[in-house]
Amino acid sequence: MTKKQSYGLIVAAVIFVVVGVISVLTNTLSSSITKKQDSNKSEFGTFMDQLSGGSDIALADMPTNKDFVAIVPIEGTIQESSGTQGLAQTGGGYNHDLLMKYVDKLIDNKNNKAIVLRLDTPGGAVYQADELYLKLMEYKEKTGRPIYAYMESMCCSGGVYLASSADEQYANRNTTTGSIGVIISGYDMSELYKKLGIKEQNIVSAKNKDMGSSGKPMTAEQKAIYQALVDEAYEQFVGIVAEARNMSVEDVKKLADGRIYTASQAVDNGLIDGIKTSDEFDAYIKEVTGVSEFYRPSDEASYLSKLFGSAKDLKPKSEAEILVDLVDRFGSGVPMYYARPFGE
C-alpha cells in the first residue's frame, strides 16, 4: 500500500467517525425537541399555527362560562374545503371542514343553547350539503337543542336542504329561495376541439369509463346514467323537505321543479314559517331561547392565507384560465343542489 493510499484510508476513517458522532447527536437532540414539543408546545409553534390558520384558532373564543346561541354562517357555494380560511370570508367563502368541526364543538359545549343558521348561498355539492345536514341533525338528536334558520339575500337549493334541519325557518322579505332540485353540469367542447385541431384520446376499460369528457359528445346511454344519479339525489332532497315542512312528498314535488320563490311565495307555499327583518329575527331568537348572547366565529382568514390570496388576486387570469375555472366550477360532473344565478 502506498503512502497516498494510507492517507486516504485514514481520512476516510476520520470522516466515518465524525459522521457517526454527528448522527448520534442529531438523533438525540431531535428526540429531546420532539418530546418537549409534545408536552409543551413552543411559543414559536403557536405563532406559526396562528400564521397558517389552524381550525382551532377560529373557534378559540367560543364561550365556556355563559349561555349563548351559536351563529353558523352558510355563505357562498357549499363545496369541499380548499385551503385555509375563516368560516365565512368577505366575498362568500365556505369552509366545510371547519363548519363540521364547529358543530361538533357545539355538541360538547354545555353552554350552547341553540344554533342559528344564517344562510346566504346558491347551494352547492350534494355530498357536502348532505354531510353538514346530517351533522346538524346529529346535534339536535344528541343535545335536544333547537336549530333556527334565517335566509338572507339568497337561500336556494342546497341552502334549502340545510335549512330543513331547522325547527323553524324565516326569511328576509327580499330573499330568493327555492330551486329545489339537482343538476349535473358539463361541457361538450368536441366541436371547438375540431376547430383547434385537438382530438381527445382515452384508453378505457369499458365504453362508459370516459363519459362526461368535454372532448366527446355524450351518448344516450350515458345521459341516462347521469339522469339516474340526479333522480336519486332529487328524491332524497324532496323527502327531506317534506319531512321538515310536514308536507307530503307529492305536494313538495309540485313546488320542486327547480323554480325560485320570493319570501312571500315561500310562506304561501308552506316552505318557510314567516318573514322577518334581521333585527326582528334576532329579537325573536332571544325571546324563544331566553338567551341574549350570540356567538359567531371570526370571519378572518389566517395571516398567510390572506397575504397569499391577495397576491394571487393581483395576477390577471388569461382567457384559458378563466375557461378552466368555469369548467371546474360548473362542469365537474358532480351532482349539485345548486341554483345558477341569472346571467352567470
Side-chain angles (χ1 to χ4, degrees):
M1 181 181 294
T2 65
K3 186 180 289 187
K4 194 179 223 180
Q5 289 173 326
S6 299
Y7 287 152
L9 287 174
I10 293 172
V11 170
V14 170
I15 291 174
F16 179 80
V17 171
V18 170
V19 169
V21 171
I22 291 174
S23 177
V24 171
L25 290 175
T26 301
N27 288 336
T28 302
L29 181 60
S30 175
S31 177
S32 175
I33 291 174
T34 300
K35 289 178 180 178
K36 186 176 181 180
Q37 286 177 336
D38 287 342
S39 61
N40 185 21
K41 197 169 188 178
S42 68
E43 291 182 5
F44 178 74
T46 301
F47 174 68
M48 290 305 295
D49 276 350
Q50 292 173 341
L51 279 178
S52 60
S55 60
D56 289 336
I57 299 298
L59 305 174
D61 60 342
M62 184 185 295
T64 56
N65 57 1
K66 58 182 176 180
D67 291 347
F68 69 97
V69 172
I71 307 298
V72 177
I74 311 296
E75 300 181 2
T77 301
I78 300 163
Q79 59 189 340
E80 182 181 1
S81 299
S82 58
T84 301
Q85 57 186 37
L87 274 172
Q89 293 172 239
T90 302
Y94 175 88
N95 190 326
H96 182 72
D97 292 342
L98 192 51
L99 284 169
M100 294 288 289
K101 179 168 283 191
Y102 182 19
V103 179
D104 273 333
K105 285 183 173 291
L106 292 174
I107 291 173
D108 295 332
N109 191 314
K110 302 301 183 182
N111 291 104
N112 169 248
K113 300 304 176 184
I115 280 178
V116 165
L117 302 177
R118 283 271 183 170
L119 299 122
D120 191 359
T121 174
V126 165
Y127 181 89
Q128 279 74 29
D130 186 57
E131 187 173 46
L132 184 53
Y133 167 82
L134 292 175
K135 180 59 67 176
L136 291 166
M137 296 302 287
E138 178 186 345
Y139 166 89
K140 290 207 301 184
E141 181 180 351
K142 287 185 175 180
T143 66
R145 304 170 204 154
I147 294 178
Y148 302 91
Y150 186 73
M151 302 176 180
E152 298 180 345
S153 176
M154 172 183 282
C155 179
C156 290
S157 209
V160 175
Y161 195 100
L162 290 176
S164 296
S165 66
D167 298 274
E168 297 179 36
Q169 302 179 42
Y170 295 90
N172 184 278
R173 67 180 183 178
N174 296 309
T175 296
T176 300
T177 187
S179 189
I180 300 171
V182 188
I183 182 173
I184 294 180
S185 295
Y187 291 88
D188 178 2
M189 298 184 179
S190 55
E191 293 300 320
L192 175 61
Y193 284 7
K194 284 182 183 178
K195 291 180 180 180
L196 297 175
I198 300 172
K199 184 176 182 181
E200 182 174 328
Q201 293 182 327
N202 298 320
I203 310 302
V204 297
S205 57
K207 60 182 178 179
N208 290 318
K209 182 60 180 173
D210 61 350
M211 69 179 198
S213 168
S214 61
K216 296 180 179 181
M218 195 178 297
T219 67
E221 180 184 14
Q222 291 167 353
K223 288 180 180 179
I225 292 171
Y226 278 121
Q227 187 63 55
L229 296 177
V230 167
D231 292 345
E232 184 172 325
Y234 175 73
E235 292 294 334
Q236 177 174 289
F237 196 169
V238 169
I240 282 174
V241 173
E243 182 178 359
R245 302 309 303 166
N246 195 26
M247 299 168 66
S248 69
V249 169
E250 291 72 22
D251 286 342
V252 174
K253 284 187 175 181
K254 293 175 184 177
L255 305 171
D257 60 0
R259 75 180 66 189
I260 57 176
Y261 296 97
T262 66
S264 60
Q265 289 171 338
V267 171
D268 291 342
N269 286 306
L271 292 175
I272 63 175
D273 294 293
I275 297 174
K276 295 180 183 294
T277 66
S278 181
D279 289 341
E280 288 171 343
F281 176 76
D282 286 347
Y284 175 71
I285 295 302
K286 291 177 182 180
E287 178 185 346
V288 295
T289 62
V291 178
S292 59
E293 181 76 17
F294 288 152
Y295 168 73
R296 178 173 180 140
S298 171
D299 288 348
E300 290 299 315
S302 67
Y303 307 128
L304 285 182
S305 63
K306 286 195 292 184
L307 177 62
F308 293 144
S310 299
K312 182 180 178 182
D313 292 339
L314 291 174
K315 180 184 175 183
K317 291 185 178 181
S318 67
E319 292 180 0
E321 288 174 323
I322 293 173
L323 181 60
V324 169
D325 286 347
L326 186 64
V327 172
D328 285 343
R329 186 176 179 188
F330 298 122
S332 62
V334 173
M336 302 279 284
Y337 296 137
Y338 189 83
R340 190 170 300 188
F342 185 71
E344 190 171 74

